Amino acid sequence: MGQGPRQHNWKSHAALTGILLLAGCGSGRQSVLNPAGDDALMLFDLARVMFIGALVLWLLVAALFIYVTRIAPREFSRRSAELLIVGGGVIFPVLLLGALLVYSLPLMSSQRVADEGLEIQITAEQWWWRVNYVLPNGDTITSANELRLPVGARTGLRLNAHRVIHSFWVPALGGKTDMIPGRETFMSLKPETPGIYRGQCAEFCGASHALMAFEVVAMEPEAFDAWLAAEAADAVPPQTPLAQRGAEVFALEGCGGCHTVRGTDAQGQVGPDLTHVGSRVSLGAGILPDGVADFANWIAHTEDLKPEVAMPTYDYLSDGDLTALATYLEGLE
């Protein structure tokens, strides 16, 4: 009986969907199949070796099964059966898996070291990231929801968590590391290709777990040094009447009780540091761009955009005050 048109179309669509899904896995800035760092490349190579090893093991077992059941079916002596079971089912898998283990374990050592100099402390909150750049002289530069790294250097990351377990993962740059309250963990990353890559919390941490992302900007060393120097400076005072009005709204609404804007009276430590929030790639821990309209959308619909977030929704602000506040924040570069 031939295939009907509906069955044929269904299979064609299924095949096309599978091809598109596989193609999507290898592209983008959040893909383990698109390594842009030394650690991600090692993991990619490890995955290929593990896959080949598993394939070899499967093929040998399948070939043996076909041989004894289809090609040369016969009665085995007890001794032959025991040799087959012990050799093919125990000795060979142990040797193959042992070789894969010996190959893979040394790869972990590189993630336990870092170049001298800059160190970055990252604390996972609910649901955002506190980022502190610790300079060789001991000074600390605070940012949030974005990580910047110099290309070609192995930078150490000290990871902590507040309240619940999180997991730090930038698929295009390296493996994931758990962040456990009360226990500091360490890893390092060495990006090789400049660009913007997406990271994500990889451990369920509450209602907005899926909305706890961040951007990683890999920069040439000279550009990174210039950015770090600019990041250490105080906030630029608002230059336009609208932005100045926004700064007044920021102060009147008590935003400084939770947020810091260095160079102003706002010194809150509860929420993200906003000193240079306008220069970041994204807003709200990776869920929005950073234009004026996006700031206004975030301020007026915070709890809708990120369920159970600690920041209240300022939906009672007038359109004028909301635009002014958004303009002020977008100008903090």
Side-chain angles (χ1 to χ4, degrees):
M1 182 180 294
Q3 290 182 339
R6 294 187 61 178
Q7 184 179 6
H8 176 75
N9 289 339
W10 180 87
K11 289 186 175 181
S12 299
H13 289 316
L16 179 59
T17 300
I19 293 172
L20 292 175
L21 287 175
L22 288 174
C25 289
S27 62
R29 56 197 183 93
Q30 189 180 356
S31 173
V32 296
L33 302 182
N34 187 29
D38 190 54
D39 304 282
L41 183 59
M42 285 192 296
L43 292 174
F44 183 71
D45 291 338
L46 175 62
R48 288 192 295 186
V49 171
M50 292 290 188
F51 177 79
I52 292 172
L55 181 62
V56 169
L57 182 59
W58 182 84
L59 288 174
L60 288 175
V61 172
L64 182 60
F65 176 79
I66 293 173
Y67 177 79
V68 299
T69 60
R70 292 289 185 268
I71 298 177
R74 60 185 174 85
E75 183 178 350
F76 283 83
S77 66
R78 180 181 179 87
R79 180 176 177 81
S80 297
E82 289 176 347
L83 288 175
L84 182 63
I85 293 172
V86 174
V90 178
I91 296 177
F92 179 74
V94 167
L95 291 176
L96 179 60
L97 296 176
L100 292 173
L101 184 64
V102 171
Y103 168 77
S104 62
L105 283 179
L107 299 179
M108 301 174 61
S109 60
S110 63
Q111 289 194 329
R112 304 298 302 165
V113 298
D115 295 342
E116 294 183 0
L118 177 70
E119 183 177 87
I120 303 177
Q121 298 174 346
I122 303 175
T123 302
E125 307 281 353
Q126 285 184 296
W127 289 269
W128 60 281
W129 309 84
R130 192 187 303 272
V131 183
N132 291 323
Y133 298 83
V134 182
L135 305 181
N137 63 4
D139 291 345
T140 299
I141 302 171
T142 301
S143 184
N145 294 326
E146 183 176 285
L147 176 63
R148 301 216 177 196
L149 296 171
V151 168
R154 180 164 289 282
T155 304
L157 309 178
R158 295 201 175 273
L159 308 178
N160 294 276
H162 181 228
R163 297 186 61 186
V164 301
I165 296 176
H166 300 267
S167 186
F168 179 91
W169 191 26
V170 189
L173 296 183
K176 64 181 70 171
T177 301
D178 283 345
M179 309 171 78
I180 303 170
R183 177 183 175 185
E184 185 175 79
T185 51
F186 180 87
M187 69 177 298
S188 63
L189 290 175
K190 184 181 180 182
E192 297 289 357
T193 305
I196 301 176
Y197 307 97
R198 184 178 173 87
Q200 178 69 45
C201 176
E203 182 80 24
F204 181 72
C205 54
S208 288
H209 159 68
L211 302 174
M212 186 176 172
F214 59 97
E215 305 290 350
V216 180
V217 184
M219 310 172 70
E220 294 292 352
E222 298 79 9
F224 175 80
D225 291 340
W227 172 84
L228 195 61
E231 191 74 6
D234 289 343
V236 177
Q239 301 298 310
T240 66
L242 186 61
Q244 292 168 0
R245 173 57 186 160
E248 294 174 0
V249 174
F250 185 90
L252 289 172
E253 293 298 330
C255 302
C258 292
H259 299 283
T260 291
V261 178
R262 296 193 301 274
T264 73
D265 293 334
Q267 298 296 321
Q269 300 296 317
V270 177
D273 187 295
L274 301 181
T275 304
H276 299 292
V277 65
S279 64
R280 295 172 193 161
V281 178
S282 66
L283 174 65
I287 64 174
L288 291 172
D290 65 344
V292 172
D294 301 300
F295 276 98
N297 185 25
W298 170 255
I299 295 167
H301 304 93
T302 314
E303 294 169 325
D304 294 329
L305 293 170
K306 184 165 286 191
E308 296 187 14
V309 68
M311 178 176 168
T313 295
Y314 289 84
D315 53 359
Y316 57 84
L317 292 176
S318 67
D319 291 342
D321 284 350
L322 182 61
T323 301
L325 179 55
T327 301
Y328 167 66
L329 294 172
E330 195 271 341
L332 293 175
E333 297 183 346

